Amino acid sequence: MILPDEGAPSSGSHGHKDRSSPVRRCILSGDRAPQDMLVRLAVSPDGMLAPDVNAKAPGRGAWIGVSRSELEAAIEKGRMKGAIARAFKTGGVTMPDNLPEWIETQLRQATLDRLGLEARASNLLTGSEKIAERARGGRVNLLLHTLDSRPDGRRKLDQALRVGTEREGSGDTGLVLPVDRDALSMALGRDNAVHAAILGEKAAARVLHHLRRWLNYTGCSNGAAPADGDGQAATHEDDLRKTAVR
């Protein structure tokens, strides 16, 4: 779980201070974090609890910053029901049985939709050779790999990223997405999209706005699988922060 100090501005992956995101409290853990790292829950007019990942639904909302496994445990133990009642000042809220899965589906879709938009705006590049060339030239702001990408392919592009930003030996890597090449290809409208490079700081920030919450919720702050193929996913914000270095 990514939990910056209360009230402190959070740093994006480019090292800039983000002072625009309000700090919210997770109703389950009690920890505080920038709003864009938490998931908002809202109640429909018929009293059904639903995820509001874009934080646009009207009325009172509640925020959670725990992982899916932690949420499932809280539901099983009855803690979530009590937290919802306190947050909405009522016991008349119905919690759907598939809430944990529903949240993950929305976070996944929001991220893939954002990637599709960046692809259509020519802010996203695919193809290993093209990405490597741009990365070595220091022109890649965020590097992404699919879950089923080959470790040697990831290492090659990660190395190009480090060379291009003069950070050899730093351990900086791309992010491994919690989806395979078929899902990414469909989102981008391209064939066999295994790796993707985001070009431009603003485009990278827009992608990370959605991606960080998805990875946080799935419990993987440095991707759904390790970029070096060693079988251990990272769990700290610093590891996520190292991935987009410009």
Side-chain angles (χ1 to χ4, degrees):
M1 190 161 45
I2 300 170
L3 297 169
D5 294 336
E6 179 178 348
S10 61
S11 297
S13 293
H14 307 288
H16 298 308
K17 297 295 185 181
D18 178 6
R19 302 180 184 275
S20 62
S21 183
V23 173
R24 305 294 186 185
R25 183 187 294 274
C26 171
I27 62 172
L28 282 173
S29 68
D31 293 315
R32 292 179 178 271
Q35 175 178 307
D36 61 4
M37 289 303 301
L38 278 68
V39 177
R40 186 176 189 264
L41 303 176
V43 177
S44 66
D46 61 359
M48 179 66 72
L49 187 70
D52 176 28
V53 298
N54 292 316
K56 292 183 177 180
R60 179 186 292 272
W63 300 84
I64 59 170
V66 297
S67 67
R68 175 172 174 169
S69 61
E70 291 170 319
L71 175 60
E72 290 172 338
I75 292 173
E76 183 179 354
K77 296 177 181 179
R79 292 180 50 239
M80 183 62 172
K81 183 176 181 180
I84 290 297
R86 290 189 296 272
F88 290 98
K89 312 296 183 184
T90 178
V93 177
T94 301
M95 186 163 53
D97 294 336
N98 67 336
L99 181 63
E101 179 183 1
W102 192 2
I103 292 173
E104 184 165 350
T105 298
Q106 283 210 5
L107 292 173
R108 166 190 164 120
Q109 194 59 52
T111 305
L112 293 179
D113 285 349
R114 183 72 255 170
L115 289 171
L117 289 171
E118 299 302 341
R120 290 192 287 276
S122 299
N123 296 325
L124 184 149
L125 184 69
T126 56
S128 294
E129 295 304 319
K130 293 179 181 179
I131 292 174
E133 180 181 357
R134 291 289 186 98
R136 284 192 293 269
R139 292 177 290 170
V140 169
N141 295 81
L142 178 63
L143 177 61
L144 305 173
H145 310 296
T146 60
L147 184 61
D148 58 346
S149 57
R150 294 175 59 87
D152 57 343
R154 296 198 297 264
R155 282 193 291 268
K156 176 183 176 181
L157 294 181
D158 291 342
Q159 176 64 19
L161 181 71
R162 292 190 291 267
V163 168
T165 53
E166 299 181 351
R167 295 170 68 97
E168 294 180 81
S170 67
D172 290 355
T173 66
L175 286 173
V176 182
L177 299 168
V179 292
D180 62 16
R181 68 188 68 194
D182 290 339
L184 182 61
S185 298
M186 182 176 296
L188 302 182
R190 301 182 184 182
D191 295 331
N192 197 34
V194 181
H195 310 279
I198 308 299
L199 313 176
E201 288 192 9
K202 291 183 179 180
R206 288 191 294 265
V207 171
L208 284 170
H209 172 74
H210 296 285
L211 180 56
R212 285 186 298 181
R213 286 188 301 159
W214 184 21
L215 297 180
N216 194 38
Y217 184 70
T218 58
C220 302
S221 293
N222 195 26
D228 61 2
D230 65 2
Q232 297 293 323
T235 57
H236 299 292
E237 185 179 13
D238 284 347
D239 294 321
L240 174 61
R241 198 174 285 164
K242 289 191 300 182
T243 60
V245 293
R246 296 187 67 239

